[in-house]
Amino acid sequence: MGLAIDASCDLPQTFLQEHNIAVMPITVRVDDEVFLDDRSQVEIHRFLDRKLGDRSHSAETEPCTVEDVQRLFLDKLVLEQDCVFCLTITATRSPINDHVIKASFAVLKNYRGVREKNGLTGPFLMRVIDTRNLFAGAAPTIVEATRLIAAGEAPAAIRERLTHIANNSYGYMLPRDLYYLRARAKKKGDRSVGLFSAVLGSALDIKPLLRGYRGETGPVGKVRGFEHGAETLFNYAAERVQAGLLVPAVCISYGGELSEVAKMPGYDKLRAACEEAGVALLESPMSITGMVNVGEGAITLGFAAEEHVADF
């Protein structure tokens, strides 16, 4: 069994390589420049080094087409695996989930001939899972998938468990630039960040803490200043770790140099809580897609836990 994810699911490249996870890339166009968002460190650094700043909010993103997904599976994955779980960010924010579902019909119709030509027999299964979250918030479902595959669980049991984890995954985001966030939201027709809120928030250095949960995103708190916001978010995550998680992992992504995360207030407390509880702390550069949507310098953090009320 294997896994495929879309590029905006934030996990470290080393984790993806260790578990042989295929990545469905996203094409990002900023003016006349094109970036292939495939979670490659080289491409992420090329994007950061270009210092595109405010220009990025006008970027066009093109997720894998139905045909691209079909080619990935029929040219490669059906020859390497007998069952592939395909995990995407929430269908409410991206068409990639719909593309993968549509592609699955053609894949499941045509895989037999491809496998037989290469001396492979037996059925091929393709299962599509909506993580119902964004960026680092999509990571807990993927981490759990690797754990279940390693444990030798049956496909039906894996699918049921991953659906449960997706429904109980929490993704938090702390943006750095409200003006950028509003400009990007306006371009995409999203009215969730109004001009008044952006101006007031920037003037007073007030940042919203946003949460992704079950396909919905919205503010759950406000903090004064980015550093204080990071400390608030990390302290909150440490408390959730101590209370118990459904998947022993906390995932952080950052829209900049990853070495900056460990210097932020509250990080040491979160790391210590994870170590004490035997929880993996996975740190990842934010995808290029994530950065053009929420702005460079933003933090996202994800974990899976029983339903609870966020208290900020």
Side-chain angles (χ1 to χ4, degrees), residues 60-309:
E60 299 290 343
T61 57
E62 299 174 10
C64 256
T65 65
V66 174
E67 293 73 24
D68 291 335
V69 178
Q70 289 175 11
R71 281 194 294 271
L72 171 64
F73 274 80
L74 292 175
D75 293 350
K76 177 176 167 58
L77 297 184
V78 302
L79 301 176
E80 298 175 349
Q81 313 286 349
D82 295 320
C83 174
V84 174
F85 286 89
C86 202
L87 296 98
T88 73
I89 63 167
T90 179
T92 60
R93 289 282 179 170
S94 169
I96 184 65
N97 184 266
D98 184 56
H99 290 183
V100 175
I101 289 172
K102 289 178 179 176
S104 69
F105 299 129
V107 172
L108 295 175
K109 179 181 178 181
N110 298 310
Y111 77 81
R112 288 188 184 277
V114 175
R115 281 167 67 92
E116 286 172 1
K117 286 180 183 178
N118 288 270
L120 298 173
T121 58
F124 174 81
L125 299 177
M126 178 179 175
R127 298 291 182 260
V128 184
I129 304 290
D130 180 352
T131 66
R132 306 193 73 185
N133 224 300
L134 296 163
F135 315 133
T141 306
I142 300 165
V143 172
E144 184 70 352
T146 65
R147 285 162 36 84
L148 295 170
I149 289 172
E153 295 288 346
I158 293 176
R159 185 176 191 175
E160 182 178 356
R161 176 65 177 173
L162 295 186
T163 300
H164 176 68
I165 296 303
N167 284 331
N168 290 279
S169 289
Y170 294 80
Y172 290 92
M173 183 180 74
L174 177 66
R176 196 179 285 270
D177 186 342
L178 281 183
Y179 280 116
Y180 181 97
L181 192 62
R182 179 192 175 275
R184 181 62 182 173
K186 184 178 179 181
K187 175 175 172 57
K188 299 189 74 174
D190 183 347
R191 300 180 180 275
S192 58
V193 183
L195 176 59
F196 179 75
S197 295
V199 172
L200 183 62
S202 296
L204 301 176
D205 201 20
I206 293 173
K207 312 289 185 187
L209 272 172
L210 306 172
R211 185 186 71 178
Y213 179 63
R214 296 184 178 176
E216 300 295 328
T217 55
V220 290
K222 294 181 180 179
V223 290
R224 178 68 64 86
F226 186 84
E227 295 290 308
H228 178 237
E231 183 175 26
T232 300
L233 181 57
F234 290 157
N235 286 344
Y236 174 72
E239 292 172 2
R240 299 316 311 172
V241 168
Q242 291 162 351
L245 301 178
L246 294 174
V247 179
V250 171
C251 309
I252 298 172
S253 72
Y254 179 61
E257 291 297 331
L258 202 53
S259 59
E260 295 298 313
V261 176
K263 303 173 187 176
M264 294 179 185
Y267 175 86
D268 287 342
K269 179 178 178 179
L270 174 57
R271 181 177 59 187
C274 288
E275 289 176 355
E276 184 177 343
V279 168
L281 183 57
L282 302 173
E283 303 164 15
S284 166
M286 188 178 290
S287 66
I288 297 173
T289 304
M291 285 189 276
V292 300
N293 276 295
V294 303
E296 291 183 34
I299 295 172
T300 74
L301 183 149
F303 57 79
E306 297 290 355
E307 190 170 351
H308 60 278
V309 177

